Amino acid sequence: MSEGLPDGYEISTDPVRLDAALIHRWLSQDAYWALGRSREKQDVAIAGSLNFGLYDSASGAQVGYARIVTDRATFAWLCDVYIAPAVRGKGLGTALTTAVRDHLAPFGLRRIMLATADAHEVYAKVGFVSLTKPEKWMALGEQ
């Protein structure tokens, strides 16, 4: 499903394959942006999103996750991108983000946004750039 995906891994958008308990544990305990997020809130987020699971092909175990909030017409927000610590450093984050980008391409979206404190280089490899006019953007809630 994704160019650059190392052998032995696969990406799927099938919601049945998602390990919701594992995703919640990863995000609520290890992801700076989601620490303490409740399982109920995470389940609602999964249900209302386009989800991408990254799996070990041999065992079927989930080793990564990404979530897209989108209208599938004009806009998308890439969030909750997570790669299990045991498999980091293999290019899986870049491959997962590439799969997301390629999956969204046929929709002709005007913009795909994301926020990151520490993975700019991963997203830059896939074509994301810093905002050229950040003064145009506003937020309501946490910043």
Side-chain angles (χ1 to χ4, degrees), residues 22 26 30-31 62-64 82-90 92:
L22 177 62
W26 282 340
D30 191 42
Q62 188 168 352
V63 298
Y82 188 91
I83 302 298
V87 296
R88 290 180 186 164
K90 298 180 179 186
L92 295 171

Short mmCIF file of all heavy atoms in Angstrom, two decimals, residues 22 26 30-31 62-64 82-90 92:
data_model
loop_
_atom_site.label_atom_id
_atom_site.label_comp_id
_atom_site.label_asym_id
_atom_site.label_seq_id
_atom_site.Cartn_x
_atom_site.Cartn_y
_atom_site.Cartn_z
N LEU A 22 -4.49 -1.21 22.39
CA LEU A 22 -3.08 -0.92 22.19
C LEU A 22 -2.88 0.53 21.76
O LEU A 22 -2.00 1.23 22.28
CB LEU A 22 -2.49 -1.86 21.14
CG LEU A 22 -1.03 -1.64 20.76
CD1 LEU A 22 -0.12 -1.86 21.97
CD2 LEU A 22 -0.65 -2.57 19.61
N TRP A 26 -0.67 3.26 23.77
CA TRP A 26 0.42 4.01 23.15
C TRP A 26 0.22 5.52 23.34
O TRP A 26 1.12 6.22 23.79
CB TRP A 26 0.47 3.75 21.65
CG TRP A 26 1.07 2.46 21.21
CD1 TRP A 26 1.91 1.64 21.90
CD2 TRP A 26 0.88 1.86 19.92
NE1 TRP A 26 2.25 0.57 21.13
CE2 TRP A 26 1.64 0.67 19.90
CE3 TRP A 26 0.15 2.20 18.80
CZ2 TRP A 26 1.69 -0.17 18.79
CZ3 TRP A 26 0.19 1.37 17.70
CH2 TRP A 26 0.95 0.20 17.70
N ASP A 30 2.35 7.31 26.16
CA ASP A 30 3.66 7.57 25.57
C ASP A 30 3.71 8.72 24.57
O ASP A 30 4.78 9.12 24.16
CB ASP A 30 4.17 6.29 24.90
CG ASP A 30 5.63 6.37 24.49
OD1 ASP A 30 6.45 6.90 25.27
OD2 ASP A 30 5.96 5.92 23.37
N ALA A 31 2.59 9.26 24.16
CA ALA A 31 2.57 10.32 23.16
C ALA A 31 2.32 11.66 23.84
O ALA A 31 1.25 11.87 24.42
CB ALA A 31 1.48 10.04 22.12
N GLN A 62 -0.09 -5.20 15.44
CA GLN A 62 -0.06 -3.79 15.09
C GLN A 62 1.19 -3.15 15.67
O GLN A 62 1.50 -3.32 16.85
CB GLN A 62 -1.31 -3.08 15.58
CG GLN A 62 -1.40 -1.66 15.07
CD GLN A 62 -2.77 -1.03 15.29
OE1 GLN A 62 -3.72 -1.67 15.70
NE2 GLN A 62 -2.84 0.25 15.00
N VAL A 63 1.92 -2.39 14.84
CA VAL A 63 3.15 -1.73 15.28
C VAL A 63 3.13 -0.22 15.02
O VAL A 63 4.09 0.48 15.34
CB VAL A 63 4.41 -2.37 14.64
CG1 VAL A 63 4.55 -3.82 15.07
CG2 VAL A 63 4.37 -2.26 13.11
N GLY A 64 2.03 0.27 14.45
CA GLY A 64 1.94 1.71 14.19
C GLY A 64 0.50 2.11 13.90
O GLY A 64 -0.37 1.27 13.67
N TYR A 82 1.84 7.30 15.36
CA TYR A 82 2.63 6.63 16.39
C TYR A 82 3.25 5.36 15.83
O TYR A 82 2.57 4.57 15.18
CB TYR A 82 1.75 6.28 17.59
CG TYR A 82 2.53 5.77 18.77
CD1 TYR A 82 2.99 6.64 19.75
CD2 TYR A 82 2.83 4.43 18.90
CE1 TYR A 82 3.74 6.17 20.82
CE2 TYR A 82 3.57 3.95 19.97
CZ TYR A 82 4.02 4.83 20.93
OH TYR A 82 4.77 4.37 21.98
N ILE A 83 4.54 5.18 16.10
CA ILE A 83 5.26 3.96 15.74
C ILE A 83 5.76 3.35 17.04
O ILE A 83 6.38 4.04 17.87
CB ILE A 83 6.45 4.26 14.79
CG1 ILE A 83 5.98 4.96 13.51
CG2 ILE A 83 7.21 2.97 14.47
CD1 ILE A 83 5.03 4.17 12.64
N ALA A 84 5.52 2.06 17.23
CA ALA A 84 5.95 1.37 18.45
C ALA A 84 7.46 1.51 18.62
O ALA A 84 8.22 1.40 17.65
CB ALA A 84 5.56 -0.10 18.39
N PRO A 85 7.92 1.77 19.84
CA PRO A 85 9.36 1.97 20.08
C PRO A 85 10.25 0.84 19.54
O PRO A 85 11.34 1.11 19.03
CB PRO A 85 9.45 2.07 21.60
CG PRO A 85 8.12 2.61 22.01
CD PRO A 85 7.13 1.98 21.05
N ALA A 86 9.79 -0.38 19.60
CA ALA A 86 10.61 -1.52 19.18
C ALA A 86 10.92 -1.54 17.69
O ALA A 86 11.88 -2.20 17.26
CB ALA A 86 9.93 -2.83 19.57
N VAL A 87 10.13 -0.82 16.88
CA VAL A 87 10.35 -0.84 15.43
C VAL A 87 10.72 0.53 14.86
O VAL A 87 10.75 0.72 13.64
CB VAL A 87 9.13 -1.43 14.68
CG1 VAL A 87 8.91 -2.89 15.06
CG2 VAL A 87 7.87 -0.61 14.91
N ARG A 88 11.01 1.48 15.73
CA ARG A 88 11.41 2.81 15.24
C ARG A 88 12.79 2.74 14.59
O ARG A 88 13.58 1.85 14.86
CB ARG A 88 11.43 3.81 16.40
CG ARG A 88 10.03 4.12 16.88
CD ARG A 88 10.01 5.10 18.02
NE ARG A 88 8.64 5.25 18.51
CZ ARG A 88 8.32 5.79 19.68
NH1 ARG A 88 9.27 6.27 20.47
NH2 ARG A 88 7.06 5.87 20.04
N GLY A 89 13.05 3.70 13.71
CA GLY A 89 14.35 3.76 13.04
C GLY A 89 14.42 2.95 11.76
O GLY A 89 15.49 2.82 11.17
N LYS A 90 13.31 2.41 11.31
CA LYS A 90 13.28 1.59 10.10
C LYS A 90 12.60 2.29 8.93
O LYS A 90 12.36 1.68 7.89
CB LYS A 90 12.54 0.27 10.37
CG LYS A 90 13.19 -0.58 11.43
CD LYS A 90 12.40 -1.86 11.64
CE LYS A 90 13.08 -2.74 12.68
NZ LYS A 90 12.41 -4.05 12.80
N LEU A 92 9.50 3.43 9.09
CA LEU A 92 8.08 3.11 9.11
C LEU A 92 7.20 4.34 9.25
O LEU A 92 6.11 4.39 8.69
CB LEU A 92 7.79 2.10 10.23
CG LEU A 92 8.43 0.72 10.04
CD1 LEU A 92 8.27 -0.12 11.29
CD2 LEU A 92 7.84 0.02 8.83
#
